[in-house]
């Protein structure tokens, strides 16, 4: 299917745009959205761009009851030359279909969805903020819509993409945060949904976050669900440690999200000839590395924050201070390079960027 | 708060009722629904009964993205004397608030919700089917509504109750089903959300169900997430085994749903002086019991099906036939007694029934 199958209906009532120097995260949405429907008879069909508007759903729609829903997050940036860049968007579409498979949601055509996304960005191009640290956050998501209370995969679904101009995820900049190692709650376990980007993983993680925040920590470090020993993720991010000059990150084991920022950071470190290993890392090992002075840096990786340095870990009544609570040299270098590539300020030797052609006039379709 | 705070707006367009002898499960809904809103400023407020109608939600509403949602299921029955009975509804409201706590959703007033439910049933009393095996299925549910893409508990929620006249959950009656012991997927693990009635648990379980169905099994028997050894649940039900005259069911360990039917069956067995123990049961133990001729019966318990006998288990290439694939004497007795109490056909020595006063005229409120 080609771009031309995506119909466009432009809004007659454009909204006021927010001041781009005062953006927060995920509260303001653009004028349009992409939608596509799934039925057993027609498969995925009727891809279109329409004015951003509320969704009308039967109270029995299965998303409210049995939670079949998957999502993605990525960002568009505008360069100084007014080019619009996406960062590895094909990876997001691939992962969304992998999440679909785990949640028994039918696969969609990734080329078509990317084409719909590009057209949506063309239509709402004036919403892409152009101030340092800002971007257009893109949220593709799919959810079950059949009105039915039996426990079974839904027979109908909706795919949507909404856009939100956002400021930096952490208003204070990328200052190192304090993290509590989670001792009670578990995010995911092998055989569960941990590697899928689905709502239930996030809903289940909120309680631990709430408890940690009440104790003065920003996020939790998740341990594995079987032995409560091996490190999995930090908050809603993947996690990296620099131990004695070598970088390590938990290996993909089926319960960890396959982060696109994670993958890109690994490729970047390899490009720099910095040793990077994906393997199991226990809290005991990390604590021993700390005690022997080998724990040099720790940071989370994710689309929203890109890089989030960890300044302190709290584990079993023990406080682990990392790099004097300051951002490490490697975290800073990775952050600068990743955001440089994403925003077009630096070279992209990997071919990670996709340019969105915003000069193409998007004529409303009359159908 | 009293019943009188629940406002009522009756529909001007009553729907056609379905033929009560041709009902399926969870596809038809009554004329009205109960709704209540939560905001930080007002707490839970504006409880009311309104015509059944679609929900209007912002595409950024958090239920679509981070899945904070909890639900309950219970049934109303009409007796031969035209009394309307609920089965332990206060237990459902208690559990809904326990689920809320796990999902970081603010607690609601259980008395008020019960009062709203009774009033809703009064308004839609003509929708309660009166044919053997039928009932009015009641679905209370709560979901996050704030339009926000940050990962954090929502600041607004909606509580709804919808009603659906249903036939028997299994059309074929309570024939024993074939169950595959799940060897790959995991429903829940200690520290996760398994004991909460939340959408993510059901979404995550569908893949295993799909694989089992393709192999000719009705449901899966879930093992624990840590060792993949101990029995937890069957499909979306709790599970009981009769071993050499003694009944055993997996103990509540934080990853098993605290079923109200489960609890009631335990109390019923105690009342009958049949030995019943809540403890860990490994598949090895069950297989040994089978080999030595001690595995006499197995059945699932849940609101939708009440009792669902297991005729065959498939585990590690081994087939375990139970009671010649026929419904056991105990399962039949429990089923007859439970449904007898629920429908008013037999005595209720436990005080489990709550009568809904349907003679009270419900005047529409004008506010």
């Amino acid at each position: 299917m080609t771009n031309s199958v995506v119909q466009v209906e432009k809004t007659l009532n454009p909204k006021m745009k927010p001041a781009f120097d005062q953006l927060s995260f995920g509260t303001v949405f653009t004028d349009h959205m992409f939608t596509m429907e799934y039925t057993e008879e027609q498969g995925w069909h009727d891809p279109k761009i329409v004015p951003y508007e509320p969704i009308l759903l039967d109270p029995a729609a299965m998303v409210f009851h049995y939670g079949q829903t998957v999502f993605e997050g990525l960002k568009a940036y505008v360069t100084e030359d007014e080019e619009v860049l996406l960062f590895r968007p094909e990876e997001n579409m691939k992962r969304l279909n992998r999440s679909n498979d785990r949640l028994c949601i039918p696969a969609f055509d990734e080329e078509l969805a990317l084409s719909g996304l590009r057209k949506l960005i063309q239509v709402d191009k004036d919403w892409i903020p152009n101030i340092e640290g800002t971007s257009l956050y893109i949220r593709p998501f799919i959810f079950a819509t059949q009105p039915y209370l039996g426990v079974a995969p839904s027979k109908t679904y909706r795919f949507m993409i909404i856009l939100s101009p956002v400021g930096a995820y952490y208003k204070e900049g990328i200052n190192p945060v304090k993290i509590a190692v989670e001792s009670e709650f578990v995010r995911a376990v092998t055989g569960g949904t941990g590697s899928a980007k689905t709502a239930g993983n996030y809903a289940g993680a909120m309680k631990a976050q709430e408890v940690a925040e009440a104790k003065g920590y920003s996020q939790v470090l998740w341990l594995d669900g079987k032995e409560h020993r091996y490190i999995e993720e930090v908050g809603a991010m993947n996690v990296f440690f620099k131990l004695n000059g070598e970088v390590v990150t938990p290996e993909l084991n089926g319960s960890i999200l396959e982060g696109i920022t994670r993958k890109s950071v690994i490729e970047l470190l390899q490009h720099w000839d910095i040793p990077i290993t994906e393997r199991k890392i226990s809290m005991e090992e990390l604590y021993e590395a700390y005690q022997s002075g080998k724990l040099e840096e720790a940071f989370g990786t994710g689309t929203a924050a890109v890089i989030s340095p960890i300044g302190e870990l709290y584990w079993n009544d023990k406080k682990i201070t990392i790099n004097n609570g300051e951002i490490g040299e490697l975290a800073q270098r990775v952050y600068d390079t990743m955001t440089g590539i994403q925003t077009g300020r630096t070279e992209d030797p990997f071919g990670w960027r996709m340019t969105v052609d915003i000069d193409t006039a998007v004529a409303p379709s009359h159908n």
Side-chain angles (χ1 to χ4, degrees), chain A:
Chain A
M1 288 203 252
T2 66
N3 203 346
S4 61
V5 302
V6 180
Q7 301 294 313
V8 177
E9 179 199 338
K10 284 201 183 176
T11 183
L12 300 174
N13 300 295
K15 293 184 272 200
M16 279 278 290
K17 290 182 187 63
F20 287 163
D21 56 353
Q22 286 167 39
L23 292 169
S24 57
F25 187 88
T27 55
V28 170
F29 300 91
T30 67
D31 278 327
H32 299 86
M33 61 189 195
F34 171 84
T35 75
M36 183 161 67
E37 303 291 328
Y38 177 89
T39 59
E40 287 190 313
E41 301 73 30
Q42 296 182 267
W44 284 109
H45 65 279
D46 199 15
K48 61 188 176 188
I49 286 156
V50 294
Y52 187 95
E53 62 180 9
I55 298 167
L56 203 61
L57 281 175
D58 194 285
M62 295 179 84
V63 62
F64 298 120
H65 306 275
Y66 308 127
Q68 269 181 296
T69 174
V70 295
F71 72 92
E72 279 298 323
L74 65 161
K75 288 175 172 177
Y77 299 86
V78 61
T79 69
E80 286 172 10
D81 303 332
E82 305 211 333
E83 258 201 315
V84 174
L85 302 176
L86 292 171
F87 184 76
R88 311 188 82 173
E90 68 287 355
E91 294 286 339
N92 292 93
M93 295 305 172
K94 269 188 217 165
R95 186 172 63 183
L96 192 54
N97 262 337
R98 287 201 302 275
S99 298
N100 276 340
D101 180 68
R102 181 62 184 83
L103 275 297
C104 300
I105 299 173
F108 61 89
D109 179 334
E110 294 166 19
E111 275 301 314
L112 172 68
L114 265 181
S115 148
L117 170 58
R118 283 196 301 263
K119 204 167 207 174
L120 177 61
I121 292 172
Q122 287 162 8
V123 172
D124 277 341
K125 62 181 187 291
D126 295 339
W127 284 86
I128 311 174
N130 55 1
I131 288 173
E132 167 78 29
T134 65
S135 60
L136 186 71
Y137 184 80
I138 299 161
R139 170 55 57 91
F141 61 112
I142 302 174
F143 55 95
T145 56
Q146 188 190 357
Y148 177 47
L149 296 186
V151 179
S154 176
K155 291 179 176 170
T156 61
Y157 299 88
R158 185 172 302 163
F159 182 135
M160 300 182 73
I161 306 176
I162 57 175
L163 306 175
S164 174
V166 299
Y169 194 77
Y170 298 113
K171 278 178 199 155
E172 332 77 69
I174 60 157
N175 293 319
V177 290
K178 293 184 182 184
I179 302 288
V181 180
E182 179 55 45
S183 59
E184 180 188 353
F185 296 107
V186 168
R187 177 187 169 274
V189 69
T190 312
T193 58
S195 68
K197 214 162 166 69
T198 182
N201 294 338
Y202 295 80
M206 286 181 187
K207 186 77 178 175
Q209 172 73 19
E210 198 174 71
V211 172
E213 274 179 17
K215 292 180 183 164
Y217 295 92
S218 297
Q219 304 272 348
V220 300
L221 188 76
W222 295 106
L223 302 185
D224 77 283
K226 286 195 173 185
E227 300 183 56
H228 226 81
R229 189 174 164 202
Y230 296 101
I231 294 166
E232 298 229 317
E233 297 192 14
V234 59
M237 292 179 284
N238 295 116
V239 66
F240 286 74
F241 301 96
K242 186 162 165 250
L243 305 175
N244 204 22
E246 188 187 340
V247 183
V248 293
T249 189
E251 65 190 3
L252 298 177
N253 59 358
S255 62
I256 292 175
L257 188 77
E258 298 177 28
I260 294 161
T261 310
R262 174 188 181 279
K263 182 179 178 173
S264 304
V265 168
I266 290 171
E267 289 169 35
L268 189 60
L269 293 171
Q270 287 167 339
H271 181 72
W272 287 340
D273 286 327
I274 292 173
I276 161 75
T277 315
E278 300 175 66
R279 62 171 172 85
K280 283 190 173 187
I281 308 151
S282 71
M283 265 314 294
E284 286 83 0
E285 180 194 345
L286 197 74
Y287 191 69
E288 279 171 27
Y290 162 70
Q291 282 187 307
S292 59
K294 291 176 181 166
L295 175 52
E296 296 161 350
E297 293 194 34
F299 55 88
T301 65
T303 294
V306 188
I307 299 296
S308 179
I310 299 169
E312 185 183 308
L313 284 170
Y314 187 76
W315 177 59
N316 282 354
D317 299 327
K318 294 188 272 280
K319 192 185 282 187
I320 302 174
T321 305
I322 302 168
N323 197 40
N324 297 317
E326 290 161 22
I327 181 165
E329 200 182 319
L330 181 67
Q332 186 71 58
R333 186 180 173 200
V334 169
Y335 179 80
D336 291 344
T337 309
M338 287 290 293
T339 55
I341 293 173
Q342 289 168 340
T343 58
R345 284 194 311 265
T346 59
E347 258 188 294
D348 172 21
F350 307 98
W352 285 339
R353 292 193 290 242
M354 178 184 283
T355 304
V356 179
D357 187 0
I358 54 166
D359 293 330
T360 308
V362 180
S365 320
H366 302 281
N367 48 352

